[in-house]
């Protein structure tokens, strides 16, 4: 697969020239050292308590990898710094909320629906269907990026976080040609838990968006997810405050490899895991990651992406298998082929399994969502294992310990 640089509009080319100059002069907007990003966060949040310092290991690994591995161009450095700083700000706000609004975290968390499974296995489609049921609350991207409102927010005015998310997506859109056909991003649409989990700096969001090979190795080898999922529960409690009468519907393939830690914190979570031909999943996710990486970096290493994606799935599935052996009745499995052939029926079966009320109104909302979002609405996504130097058997042989022996697809 050949990569190509996006043809940027003049405005972004001008920003790129300015960013290059700022990078050469080591000015703040492109700096990626720990002191600089932490100082920027403290200044913006007007607070300095980051809470449990465990997160600094991941932050330091990320910053090192962004500087040494990623080959970021100047705009890529600006995007990375802005993202890291934002999650540090949200971390400061979470710690502050724990002190100033403890009642939020004393409230029991209503058992959430949590969708997981290999990326590109239908998790987004299922998540969107669950989100369409008024009984559920799926969190839009703008709120996942910034769970806490601005300190000077006026409740009578539109939430400034929405405009910030829309502006960020508009800024990056020219750098991500073809993204809509692979994974359409909208400020008001539900997105993955890896976004708010980024306040822990132990999140798959960073290697998805940036070619941070060293950080990815650290992420794969860092098996202790206990503090990360403690903070995940706190964030869900914050989201629950927005609509206390609804159950949360969340989604992240990354949960698949950490279900033990997740269930320790949220023991009544309703886990749904999707399954699809792993060859299709791996090829599709590699295609998506290439799109993200070429938007921020001067070099895109397809062999590295492919190797790390396979390592990631192998690691996740082995951990998932260990969880299944220990807790055989926790996960509700959904198969891609049956799901896409009868999506409403599949959701109804999920509700039945978890003893959730099913209504004709919910069925109508689901069907309306399906009708408004036909397959390939934003264009067809073309991908193949050969694009990444693989055969389908390379993928299936690597993962046959799970697909073929434990799960039949």
């Amino acid at each position: 697969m050949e990569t190509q640089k996006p043809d940027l509009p003049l405005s972004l080319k001008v920003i790129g020239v300015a960013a290059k100059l700022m990078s050469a002069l080591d000015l703040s907007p492109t700096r990626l050292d720990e002191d600089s990003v932490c100082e920027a966060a403290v200044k913006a949040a007007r607070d300095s308590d980051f809470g449990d310092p465990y997160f600094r290991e991941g932050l330091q690994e990320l910053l090192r990898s962004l500087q040494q591995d990623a080959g970021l161009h100047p705009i890529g450095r600006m995007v990375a710094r802005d993202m890291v700083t934002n999650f540090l700000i949200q971390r400061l706000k979470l710690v502050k909320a724990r002190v100033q609004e403890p009642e939020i975290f004393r409230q029991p968390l209503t058992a959430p629906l949590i969708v997981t499974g290999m990326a590109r296995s239908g998790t987004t489609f299922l998540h969107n269907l669950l989100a369409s049921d008024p009984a559920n609350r799926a969190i839009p991207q703008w709120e996942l990026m910034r769970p806490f409102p601005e300190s000077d927010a006026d409740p009578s005015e539109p939430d400034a976080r929405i405009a910030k998310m829309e502006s960020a997506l508009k800024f990056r859109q020219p750098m991500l040609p073809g993204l809509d056909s692979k994974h359409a991003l909208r400020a008001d649409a539900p997105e993955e838990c890896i976004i708010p989990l980024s306040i822990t700096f132990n999140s798959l969001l960073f290697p998805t968006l940036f070619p941070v090979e060293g950080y990815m190795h650290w992420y794969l080898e860092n098996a202790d997810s206990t503090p990360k999922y403690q903070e995940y529960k706190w964030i869900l409690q914050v989201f629950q405050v927005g609509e206390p009468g609804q159950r949360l519907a969340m989604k992240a393939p990354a949960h698949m490899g950490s279900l033990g830690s997740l269930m320790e914190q949220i023991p009544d979570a309703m886990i749904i895991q999707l399954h699809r031909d792993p060859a299709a999943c791996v090829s599709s996710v590699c295609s998506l990651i290439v799109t993200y990486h070429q938007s921020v970096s001067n070099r895109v290493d397809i062999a590295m992406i492919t190797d790390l994606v396979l390592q990631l799935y192998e690691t996740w599935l082995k951990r998932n298998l260990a969880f299944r052996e220990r807790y055989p009745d926790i996960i509700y499995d959904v198969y891609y082929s049956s799901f896409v052939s009868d999506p409403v029926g599949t959701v109804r079966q999920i509700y039945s399994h978890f003893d959730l009320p099913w209504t004709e109104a919910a069925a109508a909302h689901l069907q309306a969502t399906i009708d408004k979002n036909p397959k390939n609405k934003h264009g067809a996504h073309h991908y193949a294992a050969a694009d990444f130097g693989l055969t389908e058997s390379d993928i299936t042989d690597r993962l046959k310990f799970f697909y073929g022996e434990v799960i039949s697809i």
Side-chain angles (χ1 to χ4, degrees):
M1 178 180 182
E2 293 184 2
T3 62
Q4 56 184 16
K5 289 187 177 181
D7 184 17
L8 302 180
L10 179 60
S11 59
L12 273 180
K13 291 178 180 177
V14 171
I15 292 172
V17 171
K20 186 175 182 179
L21 178 60
M22 286 187 286
S23 182
L25 296 174
D26 196 29
L27 299 180
S28 293
T30 58
R31 286 183 60 184
L32 289 168
D33 59 283
E34 185 177 4
D35 287 345
S36 179
V37 293
C38 287
E39 287 169 9
V42 166
K43 182 178 179 180
R46 290 178 287 195
D47 212 323
S48 60
D49 185 358
F50 287 102
D52 190 330
Y54 84 92
F55 79 96
R56 288 193 179 270
E57 181 182 352
L59 173 63
Q60 291 161 3
E61 289 286 344
L62 174 63
L63 293 172
R64 185 205 61 75
S65 197
L66 283 168
Q67 295 188 79
Q68 296 181 17
D69 304 332
L72 300 177
H73 53 59
I75 291 181
R77 292 181 67 88
M78 290 178 65
V79 170
R81 177 186 166 88
D82 183 66
M83 188 168 292
V84 170
T85 304
N86 171 67
F87 290 124
L88 285 168
I89 291 169
Q90 301 310 309
R91 181 171 190 84
L92 288 166
K93 291 185 175 185
L94 174 61
V95 173
K96 185 175 183 179
R98 293 269 302 154
V99 173
Q100 295 189 351
E101 302 176 88
E103 65 279 2
I104 292 175
F105 307 96
R106 285 197 291 263
Q107 288 295 318
L109 181 64
T110 300
L113 286 160
I114 297 182
V115 177
T116 191
M118 294 181 75
R120 324 303 289 171
S121 65
T123 57
T124 297
F125 182 30
L126 177 57
H127 190 212
N128 287 337
L129 290 183
L130 294 174
S132 69
D133 181 353
N136 301 328
R137 182 174 189 239
I139 311 302
Q141 185 172 189
W142 65 264
E143 192 173 359
L144 293 170
M145 281 292 292
R146 296 176 176 86
F148 299 92
E150 307 294 329
S151 56
D152 56 353
D154 183 344
S156 65
E157 296 292 329
D159 198 312
R161 294 175 290 173
I162 301 174
K164 285 186 175 182
M165 189 73 251
E166 289 175 341
S167 178
L169 292 176
K170 184 177 180 181
F171 177 80
R172 292 204 64 191
Q173 188 270 334
M175 299 188 288
L176 295 161
L179 179 63
D180 268 5
S181 67
K182 301 175 184 181
H183 185 70
L185 295 176
R186 301 292 184 269
D188 60 353
E191 261 302 329
E192 292 192 11
C193 301
I194 59 173
I195 298 175
L197 274 171
S198 296
I199 72 164
T200 71
F201 291 90
N202 182 352
S203 171
L204 190 65
L205 180 67
F206 302 117
T208 299
L209 300 182
F210 306 99
V212 282
E213 181 180 6
Y215 176 84
M216 183 63 158
H217 284 296
W218 174 85
Y219 174 84
L220 287 169
E221 294 160 7
N222 185 20
D224 184 10
S225 296
T226 303
K228 160 178 165 176
Y229 276 95
Q230 172 66 82
E231 294 184 353
Y232 175 69
K233 179 183 178 181
W234 294 342
I235 294 168
L236 295 196
Q237 288 173 308
V238 171
F239 290 146
Q240 181 175 261
V241 170
E243 296 289 346
Q246 294 175 303
R247 76 178 74 86
L248 293 172
M250 309 300 292
K251 184 264 287 193
H255 292 317
M256 185 171 63
S258 302
L259 289 178
S261 296
L262 189 158
M263 296 301 291
E264 283 178 13
Q265 299 298 328
I266 314 173
D268 54 356
M270 295 173 279
I271 307 297
I272 308 150
Q273 184 169 335
L274 280 97
H275 303 279
R276 185 187 184 189
D277 175 5
C281 293
V282 168
S283 303
S284 180
V285 79
C286 285
S287 174
L288 177 64
I289 291 173
V290 167
T291 299
Y292 282 129
H293 287 190
Q294 69 185 10
S295 75
V296 294
S297 177
N298 288 316
R299 58 176 184 266
V300 177
D301 188 337
I302 291 177
M304 180 269 288
I305 290 171
T306 303
D307 182 57
L308 289 179
V309 168
L310 285 171
Q311 285 186 50
L312 177 69
Y313 281 142
E314 184 175 4
T315 300
W316 278 353
L317 291 172
K318 285 180 178 178
R319 292 176 183 172
N320 190 262
L321 178 57
F323 178 83
R324 286 170 177 273
E325 290 175 346
R326 187 175 179 187
Y327 303 103
D329 301 319
I330 297 292
I331 299 169
Y332 183 76
D333 292 305
V334 171
Y335 297 87
Y336 181 81
S337 57
S338 59
F339 173 42
V340 296
S341 66
D342 184 11
V344 175
T346 298
V347 176
R348 185 169 187 167
Q349 290 168 7
I350 291 169
Y351 279 37
S352 176
H353 175 80
F354 289 114
D355 235 1
L356 300 176
W358 177 260
T359 66
E360 291 308 310
H365 283 289
L366 265 65
Q367 190 59 54
T369 297
I370 294 167
D371 293 342
K372 290 177 184 176
N373 297 278
K375 186 176 180 179
N376 299 330
K377 176 181 179 179
H378 300 289
H381 178 194
H382 300 290
Y383 54 86
D387 294 339
F388 307 97
L390 297 170
T391 64
E392 292 191 1
S393 61
D394 289 333
I395 300 169
T396 54
D397 288 350
R398 178 87 173 256
L399 304 178
K400 66 182 179 182
F401 68 89
F402 190 88
Y403 285 104
E405 294 186 15
V406 179
I407 297 290
S408 298
I409 55 173

